Structure formats: structure tokens, C-alpha cells
Amino acid sequence: MKKRIGFIIIAVIIALIICLLTWRFLPQSSSSLISIDKSSITGISAYAMIRTFENGQSYTDTYRIDKQEELGNEQEELAEILATSRYQQDFRNLWPWGIDSVSGGRYYDGRTVTVTFYSSNAENQYAEIMFMSSGLVVVQTDKHPGMCIYHPTSKETLDKLVQYLQTNGIKERLSD
């Protein structure tokens, strides 16, 4: 009888570990991160902050796109770039008290990109996706209190977002 109870406990523990690892490493699409229907998007805000050093001076270049009324193809193009990666959950998303702050950590390379989609339907939804580094993404929506952390499967997605914003955004240079 004791052997059978011990076997059941071990089987339950192994099943829980398998479920947790599957949840953590099973990638999701970018559309599952954005809880807004693409056809209801009425505004976007996207910006890239790139820290550079020139002549011993530190600068932050920002590239910004803000479209609240006359949307062109920007929301589709940004959504396509976000779709070039799949996104894996972080174990910190299981914390019952939520997540209030996140840093890029040791993988931060001086670049941060934030893309926010707005919808003016009855619920006034928004979804904000922030690339803290090529391996760390933070998502905030009006549906979920706090932040959710994900890991993109493609490290090139941040590069593509930065390139898109450098090409299509308005540049500002700030001295640090």
C-alpha cells in the first residue's frame, strides 16, 4: 500500500513538471499576445530607443510613429514583424501577486522597442508589447493587471522592429 501511494505521488509530481515545462516552452503566436482584433485597431504608437556613444558622449536616439486617426499600413506591417517570432511564457507569469517591473538584464544591448495598439471599441482596449532585449518581451493589456513576460523564439524580431522604426519613424536625439 505504501509503495502504491509513493508511486502515485511520484507520478503526480512528474506530471506537474511535464505540464509546467510544456506551458513554459510551448510557443504562442503574436496574435495571442495582442488581445485586440486587428480590424478594430484605431491607433498605434511605436518607438525605438537606441543608446549610442559618440566622441565620449552618450546619446539616446528615439524613432517614433504615432498614428491615432489616419492609419496607413503601419499596424499591419508592425503586426507582420511581430509575427516573425513565436513567444514562450516566463515562469514569473505564474506569480500570484503579478509583475510590476522588469529590466532587460544582462542581455540588454542598448535598444528598446515599444509597440502599442489601440482600439476604440466599447471597451477601449490597448495592448503594449515592449522588447527589453532580443530575448525578453513584456506585454501589458487592459485585460490583465500587471505585466506578462515572454521570450521570443526569433532574436531577429527586435532587429526588424528597430530597422522599421529607423526607416519610417521620426528621429529625435537626446543627450544623456
Side-chain angles (χ1 to χ4, degrees), residues 23-141:
W23 173 84
R24 164 61 176 91
F25 293 108
L26 187 68
Q28 302 177 30
S29 67
S30 61
S31 61
S32 67
L33 303 181
I34 305 170
S35 59
I36 298 175
D37 179 28
K38 288 181 186 177
S39 64
S40 71
I41 293 175
T42 58
I44 61 165
S45 175
Y47 64 91
M49 292 177 22
I50 303 165
R51 191 166 192 174
T52 58
F53 296 96
E54 292 178 12
N55 300 326
Q57 182 73 22
S58 174
Y59 296 99
T60 300
D61 293 333
T62 61
Y63 300 88
R64 177 178 296 276
I65 296 174
D66 282 314
K67 298 279 186 161
Q68 301 303 322
E69 294 176 10
E70 297 179 21
L71 288 176
N73 294 345
E74 291 89 356
Q75 74 271 16
E76 288 99 11
E77 291 168 349
L78 288 167
E80 283 179 25
I81 293 171
L82 291 171
T84 62
S85 182
R86 311 262 304 151
Y87 301 88
Q88 297 171 327
Q89 295 269 359
D90 189 284
F91 284 124
R92 291 174 281 186
N93 293 340
L94 295 173
W95 290 350
W97 51 83
I99 303 166
D100 292 330
S101 66
V102 178
S103 73
R106 64 180 179 206
Y107 300 110
Y108 178 68
D109 65 357
R111 302 178 302 164
T112 303
V113 173
T114 302
V115 179
T116 308
F117 296 98
Y118 301 98
S119 172
S120 65
N121 60 12
E123 299 170 359
N124 287 327
Q125 296 177 325
Y126 76 92
E128 180 177 270
I129 300 171
M130 178 184 278
F131 280 75
M132 303 293 288
S133 69
S134 61
L136 185 69
V137 175
V138 177
V139 176
Q140 286 185 286
T141 66

